[in-house]
Amino acid sequence: MSAGPLDIKLLKPHVDSSYCDELIRNGGQDEVLTTIKPWVHTDTGISVGHELGRNNSDAIITTNRQRSYSGIGQSVDSRCVERMKGRFVEFSAWISLNDNGTEATNINPDSRWYDRQYPQLALNTRHHRDMSTKEYIYREETNDVVHLARPYRSDAWNLIHGIFRMPSTFHLFIEVDSAPDDLDFYLDDVSMVPFYCKQDQLARNGDLEELGVTKYWDAWGEPKIDMTTGYGGQGNAIRASERPHYSHGPAQYLDLDCGFKVGDRLLFQARIKFESASDNTVTTCNVYTWDGTTRCSDIFLYTRSNDGVRLYYR
């Protein structure tokens, strides 16, 4: 018995918006995990770590991870990718790093991403070179899309978090990868959900009180980013040190897809303190000079024009 080309049908079930409210499957929100599916490990092994997750729940863990670029990932439902392309999504995951049964102390979230000294999120997408014929598929990898929040604590679970625009692709594979060789990943409470812009709260976690880490924040350039005591000795603040250039400092992506249009005015305000790098004493700045060594801080806005040209304003 044989089947002809017209005897085979591929069905693509319809999905509504609620189906795509959570894009990660088997992310570890359940206390007990019964399978690793659909997670895969891009190195050697992956398993369910019973009672090895946060609060003694189960976690997805690597076994015998040997390469700095390897990690844990899964494919995202292509129907949701098509529905949400161009929109901001929010990714978060909790990770614990294991060094042959001991806490991993060799993590540096302030290193360059390509040195692979800290966990990050990578996106692997596929595209057609010729869309008219849908021939000649090629793969593209985008690294360091989402970052490890500071400070890193070797004796605790650490947050990988950030927002990004959903790419236009017919296949999306997300992967938590990178970190020094031979460190195993324990991954728990993984989530990727639609991100909703708020006109009155464009900068998120502005008071640095959310979870006590730099959630939503990362470094622009190559400064060291950490938490410190906040204004008036209360709460938290973000600190940038060892800045190799005057334009380097804390930054975050903003979602402006909630009714803003060209020409709208935005109000930004923040408290800032300057310290001498040599002895940490409080110092002053000069608002009337363009000298990068003494000028007070500017707010830099980085964006792209409609034709893809990168622009910045200060």
Side-chain angles (χ1 to χ4, degrees):
M1 184 176 181
S2 61
L6 299 180
D7 297 325
I8 300 174
K9 293 183 179 180
L10 296 177
L11 301 178
K12 183 179 180 180
H14 172 74
V15 296
D16 56 28
S17 58
S18 62
Y19 178 83
C20 302
D21 285 346
E22 174 57 76
L23 300 172
I24 298 297
R25 293 168 291 162
N26 196 28
Q29 285 80 7
D30 296 330
E31 183 174 352
V32 177
L33 301 180
T34 59
T35 178
I36 62 171
K37 296 179 180 178
W39 295 101
V40 295
H41 183 202
T42 52
D43 202 342
T44 53
I46 184 174
S47 64
V48 173
H50 294 294
E51 298 184 356
L52 295 178
R54 300 175 68 209
N55 303 316
N56 295 320
S57 64
D58 291 348
I60 300 294
I61 67 174
T62 63
T63 54
N64 195 31
R65 178 179 172 273
Q66 298 177 353
R67 297 174 177 86
S68 64
Y69 56 80
S70 66
I72 306 175
Q74 65 172 258
S75 295
V76 180
D77 193 315
S78 60
R79 297 168 297 175
C80 293
V81 175
E82 175 64 23
R83 175 182 286 270
M84 300 179 63
K85 62 183 179 183
R87 282 193 53 183
F88 272 100
V89 293
E90 181 175 10
F91 179 90
S92 64
W94 289 91
I95 190 169
S96 176
L97 297 158
N98 185 283
D99 185 4
N100 294 316
T102 62
E103 300 165 354
T105 58
N106 55 338
I107 299 298
N108 181 10
D110 293 312
S111 60
R112 297 178 178 90
W113 71 264
Y114 48 81
D115 291 330
R116 301 192 182 278
Q117 295 299 301
Y118 61 90
Q120 55 187 267
L121 181 73
L123 304 182
N124 288 275
T125 56
R126 293 180 184 175
H127 307 273
H128 296 290
R129 294 190 185 278
D130 188 339
M131 283 299 298
S132 63
T133 61
K134 293 188 177 180
E135 293 180 327
Y136 308 112
I137 295 173
Y138 69 95
R139 194 189 75 171
E140 182 178 18
E141 181 173 85
T142 307
N143 293 282
D144 201 30
V145 176
V146 169
H147 325 280
L148 184 68
R150 283 83 153 179
Y152 170 73
R153 297 183 176 93
S154 61
D155 61 347
W157 287 82
N158 292 270
L159 180 67
I160 303 173
H161 178 272
I163 67 172
F164 60 92
R165 285 196 185 276
M166 180 70 78
S168 177
T169 176
F170 61 87
H171 182 260
L172 173 63
F173 181 81
I174 61 100
E175 180 183 12
V176 177
D177 66 8
S178 298
D181 299 345
D182 301 324
L183 297 184
D184 276 313
F185 291 178
Y186 290 21
L187 207 62
D188 201 1
D189 292 336
V190 188
S191 176
M192 191 163 76
V193 298
F195 183 77
Y196 295 99
C197 173
K198 297 180 180 179
Q199 286 196 347
D200 61 347
Q201 193 184 5
L202 292 179
R204 302 297 181 94
N205 193 23
D207 59 3
L208 278 300
E209 302 303 324
E210 192 167 347
L211 302 176
V213 297
T214 58
K215 184 179 180 180
Y216 292 106
W217 293 92
D218 193 41
W220 179 266
E222 299 177 2
K224 289 188 176 181
I225 297 294
D226 207 346
M227 301 286 286
T228 189
T229 304
Y231 173 73
Q234 302 294 319
N236 297 321
I238 192 169
R239 181 173 184 262
S241 60
E242 301 183 30
R243 299 164 54 244
H245 190 266
Y246 69 87
S247 65
H248 293 189
Q252 68 170 262
Y253 286 105
L254 301 182
D255 178 3
L256 299 177
D257 295 344
C258 51
F260 290 102
K261 58 184 181 297
V262 175
D264 284 348
R265 292 183 178 273
L266 305 178
L267 172 65
F268 177 90
Q269 61 183 17
R271 296 185 184 275
I272 190 168
K273 181 176 71 171
F274 300 95
E275 292 181 344
S276 170
S278 59
D279 56 11
N280 293 330
T281 57
V282 177
T283 185
T284 59
C285 61
N286 185 352
V287 298
Y288 302 108
T289 181
W290 288 101
D291 181 359
T293 61
T294 59
R295 179 176 170 80
C296 294
S297 292
D298 293 293
I299 302 303
F300 282 72
L301 299 180
Y302 293 86
T303 185
R304 291 186 182 273
S305 64
N306 292 332
D307 55 359
V309 177
R310 195 176 81 167
L311 308 171
Y312 78 94
Y313 306 89
R314 57 180 299 185

